[in-house]
Amino acid sequence: MHISMNELKAALRRCFEASGYFVGNYEDAANMILWLEKHGLNGLGELERALPYIRNDSDKPLSSVVYEDSTSAIIDSHDRSALNCIAAAVDLAHAKALEVGIATVTVHNCHNRMFILKALTDCGRRGISVAAYWQNGEQNITEHTAAIRAGERYPSYSEAKTCLNASADDKQALTIICSSRVDLSTRLKHRKTRLLTETQVEENKEQSVESGIEIDPALWDEINRIGTEILVENSERSRADAGGR
């Protein structure tokens, strides 16, 4: 089915608010999905994979910093979706890079890491070069890298198969590197199975803006089903407030 971008954004905001995301977080989450979808990176497909984590995020501890110094930090996201934690991790790396020139933040126990691309883009547009790296899979491991130059509008993204075995520390982990001094968007040397350049990402956006958003009716129904919980809660609260006057 075909829907407008505004319809999808409003439904996603309700969905994440009903799932316990804080004010600001549910805006970030909606924008991360829309960004991937608009730029030809299957944001709605990523959302389908994220739904099991979104439903349970409110029952998990908030992300915690387990180590920090002036140039680095290690964060435990406690099996949350990147939709609910990754923007803050990129902001931390950005702040450290402004102070010391280059900084590294590693995030553990984080799912749906593809959603980081929107946060990386925002960081690059603020004048900081940033790159992110993560691995997916158990038997067939794929390596994912995204990067953007300082001041650029769009990142590049690559995906490659690897013969390496993922260590326990690499599973559901993601490394973010930010620098105010060094261009981190270097061309990757390993064998690529998928590569999107900055130009291709921009062209994908132009095409999606013209054609709009296609969404599976079952996914649309599920987004709205979750979102109705916040509408019911608000209605009950309004009735309770009215009765208390």
Side-chain angles (χ1 to χ4, degrees):
M1 62 180 292
H2 194 86
I3 59 173
S4 72
M5 199 73 69
N6 287 337
E7 284 178 304
L8 178 57
K9 183 172 184 177
L12 288 171
R13 288 179 58 191
R14 290 193 299 269
C15 174
F16 292 120
E17 187 177 2
S19 300
Y21 282 40
F22 296 121
V23 176
N25 280 26
Y26 61 73
E27 289 276 3
D28 287 340
N31 288 333
M32 287 178 186
I33 294 165
L34 289 170
W35 193 94
L36 287 183
E37 188 66 23
K38 286 193 297 185
H39 293 86
L41 290 163
N42 194 24
L44 293 175
E46 292 293 330
L47 172 60
E48 283 193 272
R49 286 186 282 275
L51 281 175
Y53 303 101
I54 292 168
R55 294 189 189 100
N56 298 322
D57 269 356
S58 59
D59 299 327
K60 298 169 185 171
L62 296 176
S63 296
S64 56
V65 177
V66 297
Y67 172 82
E68 185 175 13
D69 60 29
S70 61
T71 63
S72 65
I74 299 173
I75 297 172
D76 187 346
S77 290
H78 303 291
D79 287 321
R80 285 175 171 265
S81 170
L83 289 166
N84 200 7
C85 64
I86 209 64
V90 174
D91 285 345
L92 178 60
H94 176 270
K96 288 182 178 295
L98 287 176
E99 289 289 329
V100 298
I102 190 165
T104 303
V105 172
T106 303
V107 184
H108 291 281
N109 301 311
C110 178
H111 297 270
N112 319 126
R113 291 155 289 172
M114 186 74 172
F115 288 117
I116 195 175
L117 266 73
K118 170 65 167 63
L120 295 186
T121 301
D122 292 341
C123 190
R125 292 180 181 185
R126 296 200 299 265
I128 294 287
S129 182
V130 57
Y133 168 84
W134 67 98
Q135 293 182 345
N136 266 345
E138 293 286 342
Q139 301 297 323
N140 300 312
I141 307 298
T142 56
E143 294 180 323
H144 302 256
T145 305
I148 188 170
R149 295 182 179 88
E152 292 293 318
R153 290 180 52 80
Y154 299 99
S156 58
Y157 165 75
S158 73
E159 175 185 331
K161 293 181 179 179
T162 177
C163 297
L164 300 175
N165 293 322
S167 69
D169 288 341
D170 287 334
K171 291 180 180 178
Q172 307 310 322
L174 178 145
T175 300
I176 304 160
I177 306 173
C178 278
S179 179
S180 60
R181 302 172 184 170
V182 179
D183 178 12
L184 298 172
S185 63
T186 54
R187 296 292 185 265
L188 300 179
K189 302 299 183 183
H190 59 61
R191 187 170 59 244
K192 306 174 185 69
T193 57
R194 183 185 184 193
L195 172 67
L196 284 175
T197 65
E198 303 93 320
T199 301
Q200 289 170 316
V201 172
E202 182 177 10
E203 290 173 350
N204 285 342
K205 179 184 178 182
E206 293 173 355
Q207 182 177 353
S208 70
V209 168
E210 291 177 1
S211 59
I213 297 291
E214 287 292 329
I215 187 170
D216 184 282
L219 177 59
W220 178 243
D221 289 344
E222 180 64 8
I223 292 170
N224 284 291
R225 185 194 67 76
I226 297 172
T228 55
E229 295 178 14
I230 195 64
L231 297 178
V232 171
E233 181 181 328
N234 288 342
S235 296
E236 291 176 349
R237 186 182 301 116
S238 296
R239 285 194 297 269
D241 290 344
R245 289 193 184 94

